[in-house]
Amino acid sequence: MNKKMIKLLAVIGAFLLNTLLLALVGKLVVPEEWSKNFTLTCVVSILQEIEVTALFVLLSAKVFKIKINIGRKNLVRGIFWYGLVMCIAVAVNFAMSYAKPERSIATALPFVLFVLISMMCVGVGEEVVLRGAIFGACREYFGESKKGIYLSVIISALVFGCWHLCNLLFTPDLIVATITQVIYAAEVGIIFAVVYYRSENLLPCIILHGLFDFANYFWICFANNVNDAVNVQNTTDINIASALVLIAMCLPFVISGLWQLRTVFKNKSENSN
């Protein structure tokens, strides 16, 4: 087993161990009634994502020696061109989750901003780990060849998808919904990895990820009883037909990601001839 394989396994192992520790803290330390309070759930989520981000930025820089690129480079192109399919998905998410507002914009605005910050923190934490550290470690191991990048994209996406199985620890009754989330998260993971690869900047992925999650909760922020609205969403499993529709709706992420990679390597081949 060479050093690059050991590094890849160490990064994934560190991620899984940290996830397990956070889950144990959530089960043993955080009061159960907090799970029914959306504000407190968001606070816990923000703290967890700060811990995850700080830990993996430190590990990537000092231990694994993996460079995570975050800045202004290709920011607009990364969001609106490489990530075009995600932009469309965010707009669709906003539209499909619409619920008639029960509160005015002025009243709901502080909570809307709070939820936006919470979801952006999720985007930062998950992208730093999955695309920054794990995808980066995959690229070191598999190399920068066409085959290597394809494998890196797919494996990092599969890790991202399978990681969502942890949700069963907190919502064991949502079996179909969780398995569906595992599959469509893997689909989403493909386009995020491609956006990062093409833009050489993690920031577009962070912004798109945060907005994608935020769209699910935007209209809920205008409910008179936010906790009831969220609890209904988080305690109701979906049927098989709905699951298949969600998975099918996420196929454009896979198609766009793989098509972009094909185009990149086709252009590289033509330029080298």
Side-chain angles (χ1 to χ4, degrees):
M1 187 179 293
N2 61 38
K3 291 182 179 180
K4 291 180 179 179
M5 171 59 83
I6 293 173
K7 179 189 286 190
L8 174 57
L9 294 177
V11 173
I12 295 175
F15 170 54
L16 295 177
L17 179 60
N18 189 67
T19 298
L20 178 61
L21 291 174
L22 289 177
L24 288 174
V25 170
K27 281 287 187 180
L28 301 176
V29 178
V30 179
E32 187 176 350
E33 57 269 20
W34 284 25
S35 64
K36 298 179 181 179
N37 186 303
F38 187 53
T39 301
L40 294 176
T41 300
C42 286
V43 170
V44 171
S45 175
I46 290 171
L47 294 175
Q48 288 178 334
E49 297 303 335
I50 290 174
E51 182 273 336
V52 168
T53 302
L55 175 64
F56 275 87
V57 166
L58 181 63
L59 287 176
S60 296
K62 302 298 183 181
V63 179
F64 302 130
K65 306 300 181 182
I66 298 172
K67 185 179 180 181
I68 299 176
N69 299 312
I70 300 177
R72 293 183 295 178
K73 182 180 180 180
N74 292 324
L75 179 60
V76 174
R77 179 176 294 184
I79 294 173
F80 295 106
W81 183 236
Y82 306 149
L84 176 62
V85 69
M86 279 302 304
C87 292
I88 296 172
V90 169
V92 171
N93 233 5
F94 272 111
M96 290 185 63
S97 61
Y98 174 79
K100 186 177 180 180
E102 297 173 345
R103 296 193 293 172
S104 67
I105 294 177
T107 304
L109 184 59
F111 194 69
V112 170
L113 294 176
F114 169 70
V115 173
L116 176 60
I117 291 171
S118 176
M119 295 302 111
M120 283 299 173
C121 286
V122 172
V124 172
E126 294 186 4
E127 292 307 313
V128 164
V129 177
L130 274 302
R131 258 58 68 179
I134 293 178
F135 178 61
C138 285
R139 286 177 68 177
E140 284 193 20
Y141 177 69
F142 293 110
E144 296 295 310
S145 67
K146 179 180 178 180
K147 180 180 178 181
I149 295 301
Y150 271 97
L151 285 171
S152 298
V153 167
I154 292 170
I155 289 174
S156 63
L158 289 175
V159 172
F160 181 52
C162 291
W163 170 64
H164 286 79
L165 286 170
C166 295
N167 291 338
L168 288 174
L169 294 173
F170 302 96
T171 53
D173 297 329
L174 304 185
I175 297 175
V176 177
T178 301
I179 293 175
T180 303
Q181 188 179 26
V182 167
I183 297 172
Y184 74 66
E187 294 175 310
V188 172
I190 287 177
I191 189 62
F192 280 146
V194 172
V195 169
Y196 183 39
Y197 172 67
R198 295 197 69 189
S199 67
E200 299 179 329
N201 185 0
L202 196 61
L203 194 53
C205 302
I206 290 171
I207 293 172
L208 289 169
H209 193 148
L211 290 176
F212 186 73
D213 289 349
F214 174 63
N216 290 321
Y217 295 99
F218 176 75
W219 296 107
I220 288 177
C221 295
F222 292 87
N224 284 327
N225 195 321
V226 173
N227 292 333
D228 285 350
V230 173
N231 289 334
V232 168
Q233 187 181 69
N234 291 343
T235 57
T236 305
D237 206 355
I238 61 176
N239 56 49
I240 300 295
S242 298
L244 293 174
V245 169
L246 282 172
I247 293 169
M249 289 178 66
C250 291
L251 280 176
F253 301 141
V254 179
I255 295 169
S256 174
L258 297 182
W259 178 80
Q260 288 188 61
L261 286 182
R262 179 180 178 275
T263 301
V264 167
F265 286 105
K266 181 180 178 181
N267 291 338
K268 284 184 177 181
S269 177
E270 291 175 352
N271 291 336
S272 64
N273 291 332

